[in-house]
DNA sequence: GCGATCACG
DNA sequence: GACGTACGTGATCGCA
């Protein structure tokens, strides 16, 4: 035990030990000491937690001061105020009682103070120390999930739920109580608490209490003005129970000035005495943690002597688990440790079509195994030919799932994956809901978006200096490639267990950086909770009308053939109409048409812009080519590909959403991409018509109106734009009216179109050149427009300059919700810099919009369930959500979807403009949109 | 495997 | 004064 001053760089951890013991006892498996059957489950959990916090936390989250706080006895000053306080608590169970003193001993063995004070609850000591540390500018982490402690949360004080591995800050408190931490006491004293037997005001729950407090400020004011309340029930309950509410407030308000015996400074973290600690752990017969403490102590000695050497990756050390008993041992170790890296191997990249082939686990660097489940004889000839095939001995799928399910679903065991959405879907086919989770891909995404990609190989090479075995090396390449179930077990183990090992090591690398980089909230509120939501959407899929697509395909083919013949005639010779190279030669070399540009590879540019230009000059061939290309695109990318994408089992099309590809925080969709289904042309919409609801159902499409411009109006604080949105004006018409001085009524559509292009240009980081090209006007004219725009909306230029300066200073930009997008090129010179500057302007806007819809999607499943709907969310297209529901639910669904989407920024962000969502139901997507 | 093209927000 | 320019994606094709 040591002394050290508490400063703004200190980080105090206060463990709510008494509460932990109860929770661990109920949440963890009932472990007993092998030699004498002494129950020690809670002690084990407690030791693991202390070890994790004291030995494994590195970086700025590492505690500098630390204490375990206990309840002294059951009688406190609150019982003197109210004899019924916590009177409904029953005695602790028989198996738990002997564990109380052991947990105190465990604290001391870890060189942590075990503190308590007669007459006070642990919560009061925690409050006292937390306030003292906070006053000195230190950060405080309260290790507890007890809502009674939430009143202490602040900018510097967070709570940590070690079992769910979840940090609770101001936003989470707000979500639970509907008020900030400083008003939690008021809400609690009104709502009461049946667990602690705090009476409150009968008939008033948390929701109502929050509403009242938000309106009146605090309990005293509320009680004084209770007569003003309109609802008779509430009014009477408050008037009748005023004294009871005042008493409740005294009960829930934590005492933050108790006479603590030890000064804060003496809670400094000290190195445990290895002999004492190991002796205690051995006495408890904790094998895994004893070994890990030993390793950690030895390593610390080594660290002082030599630079920290990464444990090298040795694939030969991995275990192939082929016996049920061994599997049970791995599962038990994962349960005891509280976290485990998990990876699934399957026979397909498509998570919906994939069959589970094996599972790998990793508990510590180098400590990993592979559990083969559906491997076949690698020498068997093929799917249909199993003669003489001799599958290797492996655990039966059903048995393995029985062993793994409790661990994968256990709230106290964190499952760590790389792109765990995939594994989540694979386990879902086995009836397993994996939770809680962490995802190294998403950790990297919130930490490093813009710096590099987030696939496992990239991350491993970059952060571990190690290249994992390429998949090709175990499964072969090209025609010889086999699915993973045909890979021999020794090779499969090296590959699969290494993936879990690497994932675990990456997690240890990334997780502590969340706080230093201030992206914990983004990770915990925007990315991690979206994983199961997207996995579910991918599994739902959407129905498409195969016959309709097939008819369209035939129609397009026919028309393409006609256009092809026409093109040859117009060109004067046969050529490959699909070859831009040949086309360029014909147009510019042979026919000698003007206006030819070259690409950087020296080929003629023949894109739609160029061809439209030529067509306008009266040449027939370019128009034919444009028409042919349109049909060719629709046919090959949509009508043909979509038929091929229909899943054989479900009869529906299942896209895959990439969470860590787009730099700005957007999702992307692939295999097939359902975010670029045609809509802008009449021909294209016929394809959209082929996306249909199942019988008796309808599709509902709900999309944000102008979300990016609204976010710009808010973030750049442009009064004229905000005003327009508040008044529900046509924003492009209003822009045109401002800029060109024309009335909105009876406006020339061309003028509005120009204003619309300028509005988009602003969001994209406008340039005169770009706007000129978009509008087909001279560059000088475009530059004039931009000048006028900046004059009319002066805040825009200031916002752009501030954003660019921020990016230049920090190397990144942020969305309104704190997501970081790194733009290292902003510090360079030349075109790269100009490009980065435009990204700097666009990324916060596009990214904030992406954050908003993610928040809506995360809340949607609960919102639907609460409204009693069976509706399913199927697709996301950046600012649009597509649902499917029975016809009779459509009306309610539209309301729920609109409410959830329109309120999605709250409470984290109170936008100064309304978010508006349009929604419609129809039999197909074209009509619903 | 890459560039050109074009579908979407 | 010159330079290179709208932001973010994915799929398909031709061609090296």
């Amino acid at each position: 035990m040591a002394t050290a001053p508490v400063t703004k760089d200190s980080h105090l951890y206060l463990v709510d030990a008494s509460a932990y013991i109860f929770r661990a006892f109920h949440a963890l498996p009932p472990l007993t000491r092998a030699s004498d059957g002494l129950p020690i489950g809670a002690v084990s959990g407690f030791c693991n937690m202390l070890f994790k916090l004291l030995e494994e936390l590195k970086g700025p989250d590492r505690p500098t001061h630390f204490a375990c706080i206990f309840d002294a006895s059951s009688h406190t000053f609150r019982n003197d105020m109210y004899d019924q306080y916590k009177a409904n608590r029953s005695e602790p169970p028989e198996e738990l009682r002997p564990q109380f003193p052991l947990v105190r001993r465990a604290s001391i063995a870890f060189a942590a103070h075990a503190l308590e004070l007669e007459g006070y609850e642990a919560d009061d000591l925690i409050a006292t120390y937390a306030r003292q540390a906070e006053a000195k500018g230190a950060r405080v982490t309260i290790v507890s999930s007890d809502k009674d402690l939430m009143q202490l949360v602040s900018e510097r004080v967070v709570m940590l739920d070690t079992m769910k591995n979840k940090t609770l800050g101001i936003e989470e408190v707000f979500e639970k109580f509907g008020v900030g931490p400083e008003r939690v006491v008021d809400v609690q004293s009104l709502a009461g608490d049946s667990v602690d037997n705090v009476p409150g005001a009968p008939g008033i729950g948390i929701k109502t209490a929050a509403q009242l407090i938000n309106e009146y400020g605090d309990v005293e004011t509320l009680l004084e003005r209770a007569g003003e309340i309109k609802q008779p029930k509430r009014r009477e309950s408050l008037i009748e129970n005023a004294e009871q509410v005042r008493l409740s407030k005294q009960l829930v308000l934590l005492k933050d000035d108790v006479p603590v015996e030890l000064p804060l400074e003496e809670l400094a973290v000290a190195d445990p005495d290895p002999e004492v600690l190991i002796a205690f752990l051995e006495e408890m017969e904790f094998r895994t943690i004893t070994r890990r403490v030993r390793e950690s102590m030895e390593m610390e000695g080594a660290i002082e002597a030599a630079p920290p050497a990464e444990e090298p990756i040795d694939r030969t050390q991995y275990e192939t688990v082929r016996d049920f008993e061994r599997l049970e041992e791995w599962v038990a170790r994962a349960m005891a440790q509280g976290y485990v890296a998990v990876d699934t191997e399957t026979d397909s990249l498509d998570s919906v079509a994939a069959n589970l082939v094996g599972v790998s686990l990793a508990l510590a660097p180098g400590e990993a195994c592979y559990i083969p489940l559906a491997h076949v004889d690698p020498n068997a000839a093929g799917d249909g030919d199993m003669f003489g095939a001799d599958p290797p001995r492996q655990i039966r799928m059903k048995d393995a799932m029985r062993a793994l399910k409790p661990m994968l679903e256990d709230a106290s065991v964190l499952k760590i994956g790389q792109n765990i959405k995939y594994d989540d879907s694979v386990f879902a086919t086995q009836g397993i809901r994996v939770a809680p989770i962490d995802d190294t891909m998403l950790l990297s995404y919130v930490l490093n978006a813009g710096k590099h990609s987030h696939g496992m190989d990239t991350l491993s090479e970059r952060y571990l200096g190690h290249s994992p075995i390429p998949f090709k090396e175990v499964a072969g390449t090209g025609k010889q490639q086999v699915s993973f179930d045909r890979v021999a077990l020794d090779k499969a183990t090296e590959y699969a267990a290494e993936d879990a090992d690497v994932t675990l090591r990456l997690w240890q690398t990334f997780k502590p950086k969340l706080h230093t980089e201030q992206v914990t909230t983004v990770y915990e509120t925007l990315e991690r909770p979206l994983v199961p939501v997207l996995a579910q959407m991918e599994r739902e899929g959407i129905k498409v009308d195969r016959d309709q697509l097939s008819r369209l395909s035939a129609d397009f083919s026919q028309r393409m053939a006609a256009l092809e013949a026409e093109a040859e005639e117009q060109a004067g010779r046969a050529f490959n109409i699909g070859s831009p190279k040949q086309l360029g030669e014909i147009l510019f070399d042979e026919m000698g048409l003007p206006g030819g540009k070259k690409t950087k590879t020296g080929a003629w540019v023949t894109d739609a812009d160029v061809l439209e230009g030529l067509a306008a000059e009266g040449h027939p061939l370019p128009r034919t080519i444009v028409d042919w290309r349109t049909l060719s695109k629709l046919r090959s990318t949509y009508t043909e590909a979509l038929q091929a994408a229909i899943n054989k089992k479900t009869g529906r099309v299942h896209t895959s959403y990439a969470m860590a590809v787009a730099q700005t925080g957007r999702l992307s969709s692939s295999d097939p991409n359902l975010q670029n289904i045609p809509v802008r042309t009449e021909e294209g919409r016929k394809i959209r018509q082929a996306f249909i609801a199942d019988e008796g159902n309808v599709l509902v499409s709900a999309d944000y109106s102008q979300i990016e411009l609204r976010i710009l109006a808010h973030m750049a604080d442009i009064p004229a734009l905000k005003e327009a949105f508040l008044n529900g004006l046509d924003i492009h018409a209003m822009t045109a009216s401002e800029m060109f001085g024309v009335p909105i009524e009876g406006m020339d559509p061309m003028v509005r179109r120009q204003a619309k292009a300028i509005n988009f240009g602003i969001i994209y980081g406008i340039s005169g050149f770009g706007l000129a090209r978009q509008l087909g006007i001279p560059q000088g004219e475009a530059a004039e427009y931009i000048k006028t725009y900046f004059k009319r909306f002066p805040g825009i230029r200031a916002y752009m300059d501030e954003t660019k300066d921020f990016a230049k200073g920090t190397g990144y930009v942020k969305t309104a919700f704190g997501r970081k997008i790194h733009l290292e090129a902003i510090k360079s010179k030349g075109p790269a810099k100009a490009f980065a500057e435009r990204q700097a302007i666009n990324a916060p806007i596009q990214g904030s919009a992406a954050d908003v819809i993610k928040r809506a999607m995360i809340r949607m499943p609960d919102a639907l369930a609460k409204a009693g709907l069976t509706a399913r969310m199927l697709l996301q297209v950046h600012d649009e959500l597509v649902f499917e529901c029975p016809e009779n639910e459509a009306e309610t669904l539209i309301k729920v979807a609109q409410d959830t989407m329109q309120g999605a920024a709250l409470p984290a962000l109170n936008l100064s403009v309304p978010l508006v969502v349009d929604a419609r139901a129809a039999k197909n997507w074209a009509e619903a949109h």
Side-chain angles (χ1 to χ4, degrees), chain A residues 326-511:
Chain A
R326 282 300 294 161
L327 174 57
E328 282 189 310
E329 283 175 45
W330 277 92
V331 168
R333 286 168 62 197
M335 299 274 265
Q337 173 163 287
Y339 62 87
V340 57
V342 183
D343 188 31
T344 54
E345 302 301 334
T346 66
D347 56 5
S348 163
L349 281 173
D350 173 354
S351 67
V352 177
N355 294 298
L356 183 58
V357 167
V359 176
S360 52
L361 305 175
L363 291 166
E367 222 173 288
C369 69
Y370 178 58
I371 308 144
L373 296 170
H375 281 254
V376 297
D377 184 352
N379 300 316
D383 283 341
D385 176 19
M386 281 289 135
F387 291 113
D390 191 7
R393 180 175 60 84
Q394 53 203 318
I395 301 170
R396 280 165 47 199
M397 182 68 75
K398 220 174 70 188
D399 294 338
M401 293 306 114
R402 184 161 49 89
L404 286 166
K405 184 175 161 111
M407 184 270 280
L408 293 172
E409 296 188 340
D410 192 312
S412 70
V413 183
L414 179 71
K415 275 68 65 175
I416 304 155
Q418 162 74 13
N419 188 17
I420 203 166
K421 169 160 66 67
Y422 183 88
D423 309 275
D424 183 278
S425 267
V426 172
F427 280 122
T429 65
Q430 303 289 332
I432 295 174
R433 313 280 305 225
V434 183
I437 54 162
D438 252 346
D439 189 328
T440 49
M441 180 184 77
L442 298 178
L443 287 168
S444 176
Y445 186 57
V446 298
L447 288 167
N448 307 314
K451 288 187 184 170
H452 53 72
S453 59
H454 313 282
M456 179 147 77
D457 292 353
T458 305
L459 299 181
S460 180
E461 274 156 32
R462 214 179 156 102
Y463 294 95
L464 307 176
H466 169 81
S467 303
I469 322 177
F471 183 76
K472 282 176 190 157
E473 211 160 283
V474 294
T477 168
K479 268 195 159 176
Q480 270 96 59
Q481 191 166 78
V482 296
S483 51
F484 202 78
D485 55 340
R486 302 183 156 275
V487 175
L489 291 197
D490 52 350
K491 280 209 156 196
T493 297
E494 287 192 11
Y495 175 85
E498 179 182 50
D499 277 5
D501 188 8
V502 165
T503 301
L504 187 92
R505 291 174 198 239
L506 288 172
W507 179 73
Q508 291 179 335
T509 306
F510 290 141
K511 194 70 196 268

Side-chain angles (χ1 to χ4, degrees), chain A residues 313-330:
Chain A
I313 291 182
D314 178 2
R315 295 179 192 118
T316 63
Q317 293 301 304
Y318 299 138
E319 176 180 338
T320 311
V321 175
R322 304 173 70 165
D323 302 305
F324 188 74
E325 292 68 32
R326 282 300 294 161
L327 174 57
E328 282 189 310
E329 283 175 45
W330 277 92

Side-chain angles (χ1 to χ4, degrees), chain A residues 718-777:
Chain A
I718 311 297
L721 287 181
K722 292 203 286 193
E723 186 78 0
F725 281 127
L726 281 166
N727 294 329
L729 296 186
D730 173 338
I731 197 70
H732 300 313
M734 178 287 241
T735 305
S737 168
E738 266 308 305
M739 287 187 57
F740 306 119
V742 296
I744 292 181
E745 297 269 323
M747 179 176 289
D748 178 356
M750 284 306 288
V751 174
R752 184 181 178 277
R753 188 184 141 255
Q754 293 199 322
K756 184 174 175 181
I758 294 166
N759 277 331
F760 275 102
I762 295 295
I763 290 172
Y764 294 157
I766 201 152
S767 78
F769 181 93
L771 182 62
R773 204 168 67 88
Q774 178 67 31
L775 286 177
I777 57 175

